[in-house]
Amino acid sequence: MTGLPERTEKKLGLVIDLDTCVGCHACVTACKGWNDQGYGVPLSDQNPYGADPSGTFLNRVHSYAVQLVDAAAQIINFPRSCLHCEDAPCVTVCPTGASYKRAEDGIVLVNEDACIGCGLCAWACPYGARELDQAAGVMKKCTLCVDRIYNEALPEEDREPACVRTCPTGARHFGDFADPESKVSRLTAEREGFALMPEMGTKPVNRYLPPRKKDRPEEASLLAPLLDIKATGLAGWLDRVLGKI
Amino acid sequence: MNPAPSVVIFTVLSGLGFGFLALLGVFGSAGMAAFFLWALGYGLAVAGLVASTFHLGNPQRALLAFTQWRTSWLSREAWASVVTLLLFAPQAVSDWLGLEWGRGFGMAGAAMAFVTVYCTSMIYAQIRAVPRWHHWTVPAVFLAYALSGALVMGAVRPYAAWMLVLLGIALALHWHFGKSAFARAGASMESATGLGRIGAVSVFEQPHTGGNYLMREMIFVVGRKHADRVRMIAMVCSVMLPVLALMFIPGVAAVIVAVAVHLLGALAQRWLFFAEAEHVVGLYYGAH
């Protein structure tokens, strides 16, 4: 079970547009809301109304300041969740076979009934995509909303991950990376989508789209059009006389 | 990484236990002494293995950990430890009751004991996301601890002293390569976010105001502050003092002193092994 499939028929995953994301955390809330009552045990919180609240989330939104070489710094909001890696180290380290990658669509899942909660898969993941639920003692991770995307009880427009469905700015896209004509493949090609930490050798499926280049402020003075005016009449005469003194 | 007491005790005690069992397996013992020595070896190894289940979220399903030996070092370790303990059993009975069954089981068990310790070390050494662990010096240190600890316990004086020196060298190499491991792995905030292509990255705001599992488990920073001091304690206690004790204290007292300080040093080393290891996920939180 914890052997990785040699290849998967589909490569389902997400494209996250760092240009469009406004950091509203709606995807975090939608993810927690859906996965709290769907696949597997709920995502528990510890001491949620106390002084030191903590809880299990499958998606977190970071904010970074990026200092450009030749322009002002930018704030980039950065959602982080499972990348459904092709060479997923979290799968091969699992001693019980609870962690697996599906041959049909490439989704990396945890069979919670077989999970002993040793936490080794979370250690093996470079991206912090897995969190051990403190109430149930089993590993939780993004399921790509496997209980939505194939769910014929839902209207067709809802058959995508909750984070994608809810994103108010359209910064998240869901699709099949194995199909070069899919929306996610085309977006990745057009916008030079990239993978995170390729040096870890995990071959992530998800792609991030870099922020677009911003307009640059004008180099010249904002008063430029006024500075160029030639004085005429009385002002012109004064200008000439005063210039000679 | 979080130095959970259960994993520190697990790796130290089971390493020492399996090393000592290997020594008994090869050289043997006789009579009631054999009974107590074998019981001591089994006690250490089993106590370590039992401790390892304390940090599990669902230990009642631990038997499933035997199923994935094809890919998982943790599963291989489970198999290797059980096979080793079973192989030693007839040898222990033979030694105790003087049955003269030869040393075949003991020899095979000794080989498997070191396979077990190797598997334990590979649970950590396989993890690329923790660059300090992803290195051949990790199995070297684990194996050197098992062997030298066993020789000290067995009071095999000259060999014990030489093996302790080798342990010291292994530790020095492990710490030396550990210093530059993170840089060599090539991960940075720029590669973690992929934003290095547009500029230099720093944290503007964390994704959550409280702590979470990732931060508690993988961004443990207390150990790094005192790393040099703990390294010193580990080197002095697990290598230098036992060598001196074996050289200058006569009789059984030397063994008791040497084993006690060696064990203390081993616990310090193993605590630091976890506490100072940096996980690349820390980069997302601006920690490293």
Side-chain angles (χ1 to χ4, degrees):
Chain A
M1 200 76 129
T2 55
L4 288 161
E6 267 180 36
R7 54 176 297 280
T8 58
E9 262 170 65
K10 289 182 177 180
K11 287 187 201 173
L12 296 185
L14 302 175
V15 160
I16 295 170
D17 189 343
L18 298 179
D19 192 67
T20 319
C21 176
V22 293
C24 68
H25 291 240
C27 54
V28 178
T29 312
C31 169
K32 179 105 173 176
W34 179 263
N35 288 291
D36 213 22
Q37 53 196 335
Y39 186 94
V41 300
L43 302 169
S44 72
D45 290 317
Q46 280 68 45
N47 199 14
Y49 305 107
D52 187 20
S54 174
T56 313
F57 287 77
L58 312 181
N59 181 27
R60 309 254 186 194
V61 179
H62 295 253
S63 293
Y64 297 108
V66 183
Q67 179 59 59
L68 280 66
V69 180
D70 51 355
Q74 286 184 17
I75 300 299
I76 307 292
N77 301 295
F78 186 94
R80 176 177 59 78
S81 59
C82 175
L83 309 173
H84 297 278
C85 302
E86 286 181 63
D87 208 346
C90 56
V91 169
T92 50
V93 299
C94 176
T96 69
S99 192
Y100 64 105
K101 184 172 174 72
R102 308 208 313 178
E104 62 268 36
D105 53 17
I107 301 180
V108 177
L109 288 175
V110 174
N111 170 9
E112 292 174 7
D113 292 335
C115 176
I116 56 174
C118 68
L120 192 54
C121 55
W123 286 11
C125 173
Y127 310 104
R130 291 172 167 244
E131 300 189 14
L132 189 75
D133 189 84
Q134 299 300 301
V138 296
M139 198 53 75
K140 300 297 292 185
K141 70 175 295 300
C142 162
T143 66
L144 222 47
C145 283
V146 68
D147 50 348
R148 286 175 69 97
I149 57 177
Y150 299 116
N151 189 343
E152 290 180 3
L154 295 176
E156 202 171 338
E157 64 269 28
D158 284 337
R159 288 179 214 160
E160 55 182 11
C163 58
V164 176
R165 184 75 182 96
T166 207
C167 179
T169 62
R172 305 178 70 101
H173 308 270
F174 164 70
D176 178 13
F177 286 86
D179 171 9
E181 289 309 308
S182 69
K183 184 175 67 175
V184 287
S185 296
R186 277 187 287 122
L187 269 172
T188 304
E190 282 164 24
R191 299 270 309 279
E192 295 178 3
F194 57 83
L196 307 183
M197 277 197 274
E199 65 275 13
M200 286 288 132
T202 54
K203 292 198 239 155
V205 168
N206 284 12
R207 287 290 182 271
Y208 285 74
L209 305 182
R212 292 181 176 91
K213 274 212 157 78
K214 298 282 183 275
D215 288 343
R216 296 292 166 87
E218 289 285 334
E219 290 293 330
S221 165
L222 291 172
L223 295 172
L226 300 173
L227 296 175
D228 215 27
I229 291 172
K230 289 267 186 293
T232 54
L234 180 63
W237 176 80
L238 270 172
D239 186 32
R240 280 197 304 279
V241 171
L242 289 171
K244 279 174 190 166
I245 296 172
Chain B
M1 309 295 284
N2 172 26
S6 60
V7 285
V8 173
I9 291 169
F10 152 55
T11 57
V12 169
L13 290 193
S14 71
L16 187 62
F18 280 113
F20 189 59
L21 286 173
L23 194 70
L24 285 175
V26 174
F27 296 106
S29 179
M32 277 318 279
F35 177 83
F36 285 113
L37 291 175
W38 278 105
L40 179 60
Y42 267 96
L44 285 170
V46 172
L49 294 174
V50 170
S52 76
T53 63
F54 289 165
H55 80 284
L56 299 182
N58 283 284
Q60 76 281 9
R61 300 197 272 256
L63 282 181
L64 285 169
F66 287 92
T67 60
Q68 303 301 315
W69 50 272
R70 285 186 197 82
T71 56
S72 167
W73 282 104
L74 182 48
S75 191
R76 287 171 198 162
E77 200 255 357
W79 272 109
S81 57
V82 168
V83 169
T84 308
L85 293 177
L86 290 177
L87 275 173
F88 279 132
Q91 192 70 66
V93 173
S94 159
D95 282 4
W96 172 31
L97 302 175
L99 300 177
E100 312 259 329
W101 286 352
R103 304 232 60 84
F105 283 112
M107 295 283 187
M112 277 308 293
F114 289 108
V115 170
T116 306
V117 175
Y118 179 73
C119 288
T120 308
S121 70
M122 285 306 292
I123 294 173
Y124 309 106
Q126 71 178 332
I127 298 178
R128 214 167 158 172
V130 185
R132 195 183 279 273
W133 289 353
H134 192 56
H135 199 265
W136 60 266
T137 52
V138 170
V141 164
F142 275 59
L143 287 167
Y145 260 113
L147 199 51
S148 58
L151 291 170
V152 173
M153 276 179 76
V156 194
R157 283 181 193 245
Y159 292 111
W162 283 115
M163 195 56 225
L164 284 169
V165 171
L166 282 183
L167 169 65
I169 294 171
L171 280 175
L173 286 174
H174 173 58
W175 291 332
H176 170 74
F177 289 117
K179 251 184 277 175
S180 56
F182 205 98
R184 271 183 285 122
S188 60
M189 281 185 81
E190 281 71 22
S191 75
T193 59
L195 294 170
R197 67 200 67 228
I198 62 166
V201 184
S202 58
V203 169
F204 175 69
E205 201 172 44
Q206 297 291 10
H208 39 92
T209 49
N212 72 350
Y213 171 76
L214 298 172
M215 302 180 83
R216 287 189 296 269
E217 191 72 4
M218 285 166 254
I219 316 179
F220 184 86
V221 290
V222 179
R224 298 175 204 168
K225 205 167 101 190
H226 304 295
D228 283 334
R229 240 164 290 166
V230 182
R231 253 190 281 277
M232 183 90 84
I233 293 170
M235 188 61 100
V236 169
C237 289
S238 54
V239 178
M240 294 176 187
L241 290 180
V243 170
L244 293 176
L246 290 174
M247 279 166 66
F248 296 111
I249 303 178
V252 186
V255 179
I256 294 171
V257 171
V259 169
V261 286
H262 176 78
L263 197 57
L264 190 71
L267 289 169
Q269 186 275 335
R270 212 49 57 81
W271 184 85
L272 185 68
F273 175 76
F274 290 98
E276 76 169 337
E278 310 90 342
H279 194 291
V280 295
V281 76
L283 294 169
Y284 288 106
Y285 288 87
H288 157 52

